[in-house]
Amino acid sequence: MDVRNCRRCGNIYIYDNFNICPRCRKKEEEDFQKVKKYIEENPSANISEVSEETEVSARKIIDFLKEGRLEIKDEHNSILSCERCGKSIKTGRFCNKCIGQMDREFKQAIGQRKDPSELGSGDMKERMRIKERYKNGKIE
């Protein structure tokens, strides 16, 4: 058993591939559902309004955007920008152009025929896992 401390509350939990405990994950999911419902009912609301009405911090709402769980309607926003080139994006951490460039760079770095599961452990395996999540549009 792998026992860890929750990054959010500090409580001990049995690690299950998440960096926060089940109780904090449940609270985070409840917050996400509140935000999602409010945005569905008020599609023109800004982050400050959503935060105030749902009592979910603006920081957490921005985290939901970066995780790809929410998307900004306006493509030319000042809230999210690509962490690599700075271009305005609607969701996630990187624009599609940079995702494609990183994909090519990772493939060159490790060789196109290698599968992330063959890499063992370490930094490169983590980078490939992240790249695959963004490429497939899946955020854990």
Side-chain angles (χ1 to χ4, degrees):
M1 277 192 331
D2 189 5
V3 179
R4 297 188 183 185
N5 288 86
C6 175
R7 285 189 176 177
R8 186 150 304 132
C9 68
N11 287 335
I12 295 174
Y13 72 104
I14 297 172
Y15 180 69
D16 54 357
N17 294 324
F18 292 96
N19 291 321
I20 58 176
C21 69
R23 188 177 313 152
C24 288
R25 281 199 311 269
K26 182 179 179 193
K27 171 71 172 122
E28 188 166 295
E29 185 59 28
E30 289 168 359
D31 288 346
F32 172 73
Q33 292 302 326
K34 281 195 286 188
V35 169
K36 182 179 174 187
K37 182 179 182 205
Y38 186 82
I39 291 172
E40 286 172 354
E41 294 170 358
N42 304 280
S44 61
N46 62 36
I47 287 184
S48 299
E49 183 181 334
V50 174
S51 176
E52 187 176 314
E53 294 297 321
T54 61
E55 298 179 349
V56 175
S57 73
R59 177 75 247 156
K60 191 177 273 190
I61 295 169
I62 291 170
D63 287 343
F64 292 148
L65 288 164
K66 286 184 175 183
E67 291 168 1
R69 297 178 79 183
L70 296 175
E71 186 174 298
I72 297 173
K73 274 190 342 184
D74 184 15
E75 195 163 310
H76 303 288
N77 67 78
S78 60
I79 298 167
L80 279 184
S81 58
C82 176
E83 292 181 11
R84 191 166 191 232
C85 72
K87 177 183 173 187
S88 180
I89 56 176
K90 291 182 173 187
T91 190
R93 295 176 49 209
F94 304 103
C95 68
N96 289 335
K97 182 179 177 184
C98 287
I99 290 171
Q101 289 173 344
M102 288 187 295
D103 184 40
R104 285 188 298 280
E105 290 169 8
F106 288 137
K107 284 180 179 177
Q108 287 176 346
I110 65 165
Q112 288 185 327
R113 286 178 238 114
K114 289 190 180 178
D115 185 270
S117 61
E118 297 172 0
L119 295 174
S121 62
D123 204 30
M124 188 57 75
K125 182 177 180 179
E126 179 65 14
R127 287 183 195 167
M128 285 298 295
R129 190 179 66 76
I130 291 168
K131 188 248 341 160
E132 286 298 318
R133 285 187 357 217
Y134 280 102
K135 181 178 172 186
N136 297 328
K138 298 176 183 175
I139 305 299
E140 292 178 351

